[in-house]
Amino acid sequence: MKTPEELRYATSHEWVRREDEAVTVGITDFAQDQLGDVVFVELPESGRHVAKGDQVAVVESVKTASDIYAPVTGIITDVNGALETTPELINDQPYAAGWLFRIELENDSELNDLLDADAYQKSASEES
C-alpha cells in the first residue's frame, strides 16, 4: 500500500494535499484497492460549500459504491472532469491523475485533525 508521507489522511480513506489556500482531495491507494475496478464517479458541483464530514461524492466499482466525505470545511473550487470518461484513473494513479476535487479551505486548523502517513497506515491495517 502506497501512503505518501507529504499527504494528510482521513480515517474514511480520503487523502489531502495542501496547495496554497486550497487542498486537493482523492481516495487512498488502500481505498481504491478495496473497491476494485472503478467504473463511475459522481463528483460534487464547483461552488458548493461543504462542511467537514459531509458526503460529497460517490465512487462506484464493480464490487460496490462508496461515499466520499469532505475531509475539511470550505468551498469546492474544482473537480477532476477527466474521471467522467476515465474513472479508472483512480485505480491507476490515486495520488496523481485520479484526484477527485479541490476545496478552498475555510479553517486551516482542520488539517491538524487529519492523520499523517504512519497513523493512516496503522488505521488502514486494522481494517483489513
Side-chain angles (χ1 to χ4, degrees):
M1 169 174 68
K2 295 178 212 151
T3 311
E5 294 286 328
E6 69 276 11
L7 304 179
R8 303 293 285 184
Y9 301 88
T11 56
S12 51
H13 307 292
E14 294 85 12
W15 58 261
V16 174
R17 178 183 301 118
R18 178 71 187 257
E19 296 174 12
D20 298 321
E21 299 303 312
V23 295
T24 299
V25 179
I27 65 169
T28 64
D29 189 36
F30 174 82
Q32 70 78 24
D33 184 61
Q34 294 295 303
L35 283 170
D37 293 336
V38 174
V39 295
F40 177 76
V41 181
E42 181 182 320
L43 295 167
E45 287 187 32
S46 286
R48 176 180 167 193
H49 182 272
V50 296
K52 179 181 174 181
D54 283 357
Q55 186 273 330
V56 296
V58 178
V59 175
E60 293 183 21
S61 71
V62 293
K63 293 184 193 176
T64 189
S66 183
D67 290 337
I68 307 302
Y69 301 94
V72 295
T73 300
I75 300 203
I76 305 279
T77 58
D78 195 13
V79 297
N80 187 353
L83 297 177
E84 292 176 11
T85 55
T86 52
E88 63 273 10
L89 288 171
I90 292 172
N91 295 118
D92 298 339
Q93 301 176 45
Y95 300 112
W99 64 276
L100 298 172
F101 52 88
R102 292 193 173 99
I103 299 176
E104 184 177 319
L105 280 169
E106 197 169 284
N107 184 351
D108 284 0
S109 68
E110 287 182 343
L111 293 173
N112 298 329
D113 298 334
L114 298 171
L115 304 173
D116 65 17
D118 289 338
Y120 174 74
Q121 282 184 321
K122 182 177 180 190
S123 171
S125 68
E126 290 170 359
E127 274 189 44
S128 55

